[in-house]
Amino acid sequence: MKRLSLTWVARGCAIACLVLVQGTAANPEPKDVPPLMKTSKGADVTTVEQWEKTRAPELLDTFTKQEYGHRVVERPPELSFETAEPDAVMMDGKALRKRIRVCYGGKYGKGSFVFTAFIPRQEKPAPAFVLICNRPAAANIDPTRKVKSGFWPAEEIVARGYAAIAFWNGDIAPDWNTGNREGVFACFEQPGARKSTALWGTLSAWAWGASRVLDWIETEPLLDAKHVAVVGHSRGGKTALVAGVYDKRFAMACSNCSGCSGAKLNHIDLPKSEHIAPIVKNFPYWFCQNYFMHANLDDKLPFDQHQFIALIAPRLVCVASATKDAWAGPPGEWWAAKLASPAWELYGKKGLAADSFPAPDTPQQDGCISYHIRTGIHNLTPYDWNRYMDFADKHGWRE
Ligand code: GTR
């Protein structure tokens, strides 16, 4: 009897220690996370100057070469905007719809895509949300509004005083494996096999498309180009972070259920979540080829997604998860947001101002990083949109 109880005491201690070290199964904690505020030479980063001159550039270089790839073009010299359809007053007179064709050309070809903007009819230039739509366009971003989808609740966005702008990712580059030879790639890269393993994948290409929409926004007096958020869900949510990191003109990036290679930290044990091996097997074309060598090394990666999110500081970031979306790894998404926060602190701001993973449907929005976990499945819903707009309101976007 005595021996038995001692065994149980020992077991209890062991479990308690494990919980302390690793967190509970429901609330796992990260392990061996690569440092954010230490340069590759081991110096502590304590000032904005060190961050901006040394640490942020070296992190950006790492993510460019190891994960998302190097863009062969940013804003191309040959870029123009055409009216794709005459402007129309819609939504019971509440919105002006513009349909714009972005035309671009490179050394090897020309391309174009059309996006839709619903602009609230108001006195002041409107702040805007640009959706990178990764779902079928006709069913989700219908410019006629005959088909309405919660994925892009344009009427609600306009009613809250924001312009609702959307484009379809497939118009920039196809979401299947063409060896990155079609879409925008084909205009700017020499046809044939790629010579470098560090060239951009489609996540970066789609984010490039969002930046071209922003180029137009800057020309449109009805819009407030200083207050533009980029939004995406899942692969689009990964893309929204890429857009926010590579284009500092975006004042906010909203990464909805983005998971692996988006907002999810890799240095955390979430067995049901997506890891690098399956993502690079199923979607090799999303990344640069150098990313493939990190398959099965998630917890040994010398870099991690909190460092990527940190590159958006001191601008605004929203990270969101859903309770039934284990594949995206919600605790990993929360932890990446949390561990990115010291970058905001350098600027005298707060990142994610919360100490623990929240209960469902209780947004954490006190700092410059917003986090919420919605009850429900992997999706982008009006609930998520309203939290993003709450956050923009909170930061004075409509004042
Ligand atoms: C999944 C993929 C995820 C996520 C998702 C989506 O198949 O594994 O990384 O991006 O697709 O985009 O819906």
Side-chain angles (χ1 to χ4, degrees):
M1 185 67 190
K2 214 173 190 179
R3 188 178 287 163
L4 191 72
S5 59
L6 267 179
T7 314
W8 280 107
V9 170
R11 277 194 188 176
C13 282
I15 290 169
C17 289
L18 260 178
V19 167
L20 277 176
V21 174
Q22 296 191 320
T24 58
N27 254 329
E29 293 202 358
K31 246 181 93 191
D32 303 328
V33 182
L36 179 61
M37 290 299 164
K38 226 179 232 320
T39 66
S40 56
K41 293 193 178 124
D44 289 328
V45 178
T46 56
T47 65
V48 168
E49 202 193 353
Q50 275 177 303
W51 171 255
E52 291 186 353
K53 291 213 171 122
T54 310
R55 185 58 175 151
E58 70 183 18
L59 287 173
L60 189 66
D61 188 61
T62 299
F63 285 100
T64 302
K65 289 183 181 147
Q66 300 296 324
E67 190 163 349
Y68 303 103
H70 168 71
R71 285 183 188 168
V72 298
V73 63
E74 290 293 339
R75 183 189 167 118
E78 192 183 326
L79 179 78
S80 61
F81 308 109
E82 289 172 4
T83 302
E85 270 185 71
D87 292 356
V89 174
M90 291 176 63
M91 299 182 178
D92 298 325
K94 295 195 183 79
L96 180 70
R97 188 195 70 182
K98 285 181 175 279
R99 300 210 72 219
I100 305 294
R101 181 175 291 281
V102 180
C103 307
Y104 54 85
K107 197 168 166 193
Y108 306 102
K110 290 182 193 301
S112 77
F113 67 98
V114 175
F115 66 85
T116 304
F118 287 104
I119 305 175
R121 294 176 76 211
Q122 59 183 37
E123 291 283 305
K124 282 181 31 182
F129 282 82
V130 177
L131 173 67
I132 300 159
C133 180
N134 59 300
R135 289 201 176 159
N140 290 287
I141 53 169
D142 178 18
T144 71
R145 305 313 290 154
K146 284 191 189 116
V147 182
K148 294 199 176 83
S149 155
F151 197 76
W152 191 47
E155 286 73 10
E156 270 185 66
I157 298 169
V158 166
R160 288 193 60 164
Y162 292 96
I165 302 177
F167 71 93
W168 186 55
N169 65 343
D171 281 339
I172 312 294
D175 192 2
W176 57 83
N177 202 350
T178 68
N180 299 114
R181 287 196 185 120
E182 291 180 19
V184 67
F185 302 110
C187 300
F188 299 100
E189 285 181 47
Q190 191 152 27
R194 288 179 153 196
K195 294 199 177 68
S196 163
T197 53
L199 285 172
W200 54 336
T202 48
L203 297 181
S204 183
W206 299 333
W208 178 92
S211 288
R212 303 297 65 84
V213 173
L214 187 47
D215 291 340
W216 171 79
I217 292 174
E218 287 186 323
T219 71
E220 175 49 65
L222 296 175
L223 294 169
D224 170 5
K226 295 263 173 286
H227 292 108
V228 178
V230 58
V231 185
H233 166 68
S234 206
R235 65 200 70 190
K238 306 182 211 295
T239 308
L241 289 179
V242 177
V245 165
Y246 286 89
D247 192 337
K248 291 197 180 343
R249 296 172 301 165
F250 284 113
M252 171 156 117
C254 305
S255 189
N256 198 82
C257 298
S258 61
C260 181
S261 314
K264 192 196 81 160
L265 197 76
N266 293 295
H267 288 77
I268 186 167
D269 187 23
L270 296 169
K272 289 191 185 145
S273 71
E274 186 174 27
H275 289 73
I276 296 173
I279 207 170
V280 297
K281 180 167 177 278
N282 298 329
F283 308 102
Y285 56 95
W286 285 356
F287 307 98
C288 72
Q289 285 176 30
N290 288 343
Y291 198 43
F292 306 173
M293 68 187 170
H294 301 294
N296 299 313
L297 295 173
D298 306 64
D299 55 351
K300 293 181 191 62
L301 275 182
F303 54 91
D304 209 339
Q305 300 303 119
H306 66 303
Q307 298 168 327
F308 194 60
I309 295 174
L311 292 171
I312 301 177
R315 292 166 291 136
L316 304 175
V317 178
C318 297
V319 173
S321 317
T323 53
K324 292 190 178 148
D325 190 13
W327 188 238
E333 296 177 314
W334 185 85
W335 270 108
K338 182 70 193 161
L339 295 173
S341 299
W344 278 264
E345 287 156 22
L346 286 180
Y347 292 88
K349 298 177 180 234
K350 283 183 186 155
L352 178 61
D355 293 325
S356 54
F357 189 68
D361 313 313
T362 54
Q364 297 173 325
Q365 299 197 305
D366 287 339
C368 293
I369 304 181
S370 159
Y371 179 83
H372 74 260
I373 174 161
R374 168 181 46 75
T375 300
I377 58 163
H378 183 71
N379 198 2
L380 172 60
T381 72
Y383 176 88
D384 302 304
W385 278 102
N386 278 295
R387 299 302 71 78
Y388 302 148
M389 291 188 280
D390 291 348
F391 199 54
D393 282 357
K394 217 175 155 81
H395 286 272
W397 282 29
R398 288 191 312 124
E399 276 156 24

